[in-house]
Amino acid sequence: MSTMELKILILPGDGIGPEVTREAVKVLERVASKFNHALSLKEGLLGGIAIKKTGSPFPPETEKLALAADATLMGAVGLPEYDNAPPEKRPEKGLLAIRKALKVYANLRPIKTYKALIDSSPLKNHLVEGTDMIIVRELTGGLYYGTPRGISGQGSEEKGVNTMVYTRAEIERVARYAFGLALKRRRKLTSVDKSNVLETSQLWRRVVTEIAKDYPEVALDHMLVDNCAMQLILNPKRFDVLLTENMFGDILSDEGAVLTGSIGMLPSASIGDKKGGSEVWVGLYEPVHGSAPDIAGQNKANPLGAIISAGAMLAYTFNLQEEANAIYKAVEGVLESGRVTADLHPKNKPATTAEVGQAVCDSI
Ligand code: NAD
């Protein structure tokens, strides 16, 4: 069995962040030992805890550690005491800063239904059962970054401006990533745009169609974003890889998120380029949920979002699919056993954060 060195930075962050990352680390240690990999873990400061200890939500030392690691696993950031702080002194600033430092341009949101949780979906069981897709959202371009932007003028002439802009290179790199991902899955890619109205979308569609020629095994279709918002509800099973630009992805990924139930279950991955010519992809992994101050420090938080994020890290950064599958399978087993945290409404007494983490480890 091949041995790989897995250089991972852990940024526990605030609130329930340290509790859920602790369980994800336990699971990574279990997988590394079972599959004979060398785990090289470092820990750093991000968010509110970093402000308290260093004055900055993303201290230079954390940046150094993140750039040296192959992958970073974050917990969550955010503390109520900073809610009214100026933007530079807010924990959430740390998130944007680390994404920028690592140059992660593709955000992946896997959306998968679990049999044991099917009743927590707002959709009817037969619609949602078997859903298994990944939304690939372009993360560093489009309307959120384009210039000119701003508010100017006065009275009835006062106006707000944002600019949606995409270069061919920006579209190409995220499209290639999405096609590569489709090759490892069911080989279906749906590219979502608004090409009936927007020029950026017309270029998007043209470039994606051109790139598709390099991936003849992948079936490509195009869909307008308004129709896509409907299809996610009407027929979520039809999607395998869904590729889209930044703002459409922001909206569609939250719509996708509610298809499967609790926020505590959802992983997210942001991917950059390959590291120094290797086959390792720089990546930043985090559960979708926030720091949940209402339940922090009570051993109640659902650690599965963080644990599944660790699985995604093995799959996307290190190309260790078998190891990732071992985690996903163990999570499914734990869900079926009913030993889950309170947010998943177990029939019996809810399990603690640590018990759920241990149960996942035990079934790997
Ligand atoms: P939240 O996700 O922290 O919490 C929303 C609700 O879901 C709460 O009732 C919470 O108890 C519950 N919840 C969240 N994660 C859970 C888990 N793992 N297990 C069980 N229940 C869970 O969102 P919020 O309350 O809007 O934000 C709280 C703080 O988190 C704010 O400071 C916000 O800025 C920050 N935030 C950070 C991130 C991030 O780090 N990526 C994302 C969203 C919000």
Side-chain angles (χ1 to χ4, degrees):
M1 207 186 290
S2 71
T3 299
M4 205 172 168
E5 189 190 4
L6 313 178
K7 283 194 267 174
I8 300 169
L9 173 65
I10 308 293
L11 300 174
D14 306 318
I16 60 170
E19 297 166 57
V20 296
T21 46
R22 191 176 305 130
E23 302 314 312
V25 166
K26 273 193 339 211
V27 170
L28 280 171
E29 282 166 345
R30 172 77 193 110
V31 171
S33 127
K34 174 163 175 166
F35 290 86
N36 211 17
H37 297 298
L39 203 55
S40 160
L41 292 180
K42 296 235 157 79
E43 195 173 304
L45 297 170
L46 185 82
I49 176 98
I51 302 178
K52 277 191 188 159
K53 292 205 171 160
T54 72
S56 158
F58 182 50
E61 175 63 14
T62 302
E63 179 166 5
K64 220 168 86 190
L65 289 169
L67 291 173
D70 296 330
T72 298
L73 178 68
M74 299 190 301
V77 300
L79 289 175
E81 65 202 79
Y82 293 107
D83 279 355
N84 298 314
E88 291 309 307
K89 291 280 173 200
R90 290 185 62 123
E92 292 80 357
K93 182 82 187 170
L95 271 184
L96 300 179
I98 191 172
R99 285 180 187 151
K100 195 165 165 212
L102 289 173
K103 301 194 178 79
V104 285
Y105 59 81
N107 180 248
L108 315 187
R109 286 274 200 100
I111 295 162
K112 187 171 156 24
T113 48
Y114 295 93
K115 262 205 193 97
L117 296 184
I118 197 100
D119 290 332
S120 346
S121 171
L123 296 190
K124 293 195 178 80
N125 288 4
H126 76 275
L127 288 177
V128 76
E129 203 162 23
T131 296
D132 181 3
M133 74 176 102
I134 294 194
I135 298 183
V136 180
R137 162 189 172 193
E138 201 289 328
L139 200 59
T140 54
L143 199 59
Y144 295 176
Y145 292 92
T147 51
R149 64 185 296 160
I151 299 177
S152 61
Q154 299 221 317
S156 61
E157 296 302 306
E158 190 173 14
K159 66 175 181 185
V161 174
N162 289 97
T163 302
M164 189 184 243
V165 53
Y166 267 108
T167 64
R168 169 176 284 274
E170 284 172 321
I171 302 168
E172 264 193 44
R173 68 178 178 178
V174 72
R176 285 198 186 280
Y177 188 83
F179 276 106
L181 203 57
L183 277 179
K184 295 189 204 156
R185 295 174 47 94
R186 302 195 305 279
R187 304 188 168 202
K188 218 176 144 222
L189 190 147
T190 303
S191 174
V192 175
D193 62 39
K194 187 72 184 165
S195 60
N196 53 344
V197 179
L198 299 174
E199 281 78 4
T200 42
S201 278
Q202 286 157 15
L203 180 67
W204 180 280
R205 191 174 280 217
R206 181 146 54 82
V207 172
V208 171
T209 306
E210 283 169 26
I211 303 280
K213 296 193 182 106
D214 294 340
Y215 301 86
E217 308 90 334
V218 177
L220 168 69
D221 66 340
H222 299 277
M223 190 179 276
L224 296 174
V225 63
D226 36 355
N227 183 25
C228 181
M230 278 197 308
Q231 295 305 323
L232 277 173
I233 301 294
L234 292 174
N235 189 11
K237 273 178 273 200
R238 80 171 293 294
F239 296 102
D240 178 14
V241 176
L242 190 166
L243 166 67
T244 192
E245 63 88 52
N246 201 346
M247 181 181 62
F248 299 159
D250 189 3
I251 298 166
L252 295 176
S253 61
D254 271 17
E255 188 187 348
V258 298
L259 296 178
T260 57
S262 166
I263 185 160
M265 294 288 302
L266 292 168
S268 140
S270 302
I271 312 286
D273 279 325
K274 282 185 193 168
K275 204 164 184 219
S278 70
E279 282 308 307
V280 165
W281 294 79
V282 169
L284 186 61
Y285 298 83
E286 53 184 313
V288 167
H289 62 74
S291 57
D294 53 334
I295 56 165
Q298 300 172 34
N299 206 8
K300 272 187 186 169
N302 185 347
L304 292 176
I307 290 171
I308 300 168
S309 298
M313 170 191 286
L314 296 176
Y316 302 134
T317 283
F318 298 107
N319 296 305
L320 296 172
Q321 193 63 51
E322 195 187 334
E323 287 81 341
N325 289 345
I327 295 182
Y328 302 151
K329 203 164 152 252
V331 166
E332 250 166 81
V334 168
L335 289 174
E336 268 153 38
S337 78
R339 292 288 293 139
V340 294
T341 43
D343 56 307
L344 299 181
H345 310 293
K347 287 198 187 82
N348 301 316
K349 185 171 164 257
T352 64
T353 310
E355 283 167 352
V356 172
Q358 193 55 48
V360 174
C361 287
D362 291 346
S363 47
I364 289 175

